[in-house]
Amino acid sequence: MASFLAEVQTAALPEASHRRAIRSFVVRAGRMTPGQRQALERLWPRYGLDLPDGALDLDQAFGRQAPRTLEIGFGMGDALLALAAAHPQQDFIGVEVYPPGIGSFLLRVEQAGLSNVRVICADAVEVLARHLPAASLDRLLVLFPDPWPKKRHHKRRLVNAAFLDLAARVLRCGGQLHIATDWADYAAAIGEVLQGSPDFAPSPLLADATGRPETKYERRGQRLGHDIHEFRVRRR
């Protein structure tokens, strides 16, 4: 706990044993409010998951076996909070790199009285590659990831062939990968890489209107007049 708070204070992520050359995010050194810091100090032991050297024991983390969803980059946490409240029989994990946002989210989780939410503060690619057991998730959500709109930054985009390999590793057979973006060129790239993946197939039966709540970034895209592009595929 002390080491985590030290990392929060410097707005830094834990160093991995092998570093990624290109990250899909930039850690902003924003200040935490006193309330956010207090929430982290008080609630991290209840809801936070410190990463071990190897894989997490998710049954131990939640104290049960249940279907599990992980959201990458949950931001304000609107979607994750709504899903967890609507499905108490399921477990939900959020991965985020911005400690101030995590502090605010943990306070909302407590206020909602939820016990089926856990949070990881780390690079999601490292989490998928090193810290989740194989076939441990029923659903993986990537809702409105950073579009990196400038062409020279497209290499930073999260969803690519290497990411799909990691997603396939952690999803059970039949598990769902759900991606949404409001950037047309990113959507075209996502569609192309999904089409070329041998691990995923279209999942029309899972494309129901109640599949996810609306997010802050989705509303922003709609205000800008962007179309919303959804991809729901299942692990073969």
Side-chain angles (χ1 to χ4, degrees), residues 50-232:
D50 295 313
L51 296 177
D53 291 335
L56 289 159
D57 185 335
L58 296 180
D59 289 350
Q60 183 181 55
F62 285 96
R64 67 177 182 178
Q65 292 182 336
R68 291 188 177 123
T69 293
L70 183 142
E71 182 179 3
I72 292 175
F74 58 80
M76 300 295 292
D78 293 344
L80 195 62
L81 195 73
L83 286 170
H87 303 284
Q89 75 281 9
Q90 300 178 23
D91 294 335
F92 294 85
I93 305 165
V95 179
E96 181 55 75
V97 296
Y98 303 116
I102 293 175
S104 296
F105 176 69
L106 293 183
L107 194 58
R108 296 175 67 194
V109 171
E110 181 189 45
Q111 290 170 345
L114 300 178
S115 61
N116 60 336
V117 177
R118 299 292 184 272
V119 173
I120 298 170
C121 181
D123 178 353
V125 169
E126 295 288 344
V127 174
L128 298 184
R130 302 178 61 233
H131 300 296
L132 286 180
S136 58
L137 299 180
D138 294 85
R139 182 163 53 168
L140 180 59
L141 302 178
V142 186
L143 304 181
F144 303 92
D146 194 328
W148 293 100
K150 295 180 180 179
K151 188 172 182 179
R152 68 177 183 271
H153 292 155
H154 284 185
K155 62 187 176 182
R156 290 185 174 274
R157 287 175 167 176
L158 175 66
V159 182
N160 54 32
F163 172 80
L164 292 187
D165 289 343
L166 295 178
R169 189 189 81 80
V170 300
L171 282 166
R172 64 168 179 78
C173 182
Q176 183 186 20
L177 172 61
H178 186 173
I179 305 170
T181 182
D182 62 310
W183 287 81
D185 64 327
Y186 198 1
I190 291 169
E192 183 176 345
V193 75
L194 283 172
Q195 190 173 23
S197 173
D199 296 314
F200 291 97
S203 183
L205 294 179
L206 294 175
D208 58 277
T210 61
R212 65 168 181 83
E214 196 176 60
T215 75
K216 170 188 173 182
Y217 291 106
E218 179 176 11
R219 293 189 291 270
R220 178 181 179 276
Q222 291 171 335
R223 288 196 301 271
L224 294 172
H226 295 179
D227 292 329
I228 306 300
H229 304 269
E230 303 267 357
F231 301 89
R232 292 179 177 89

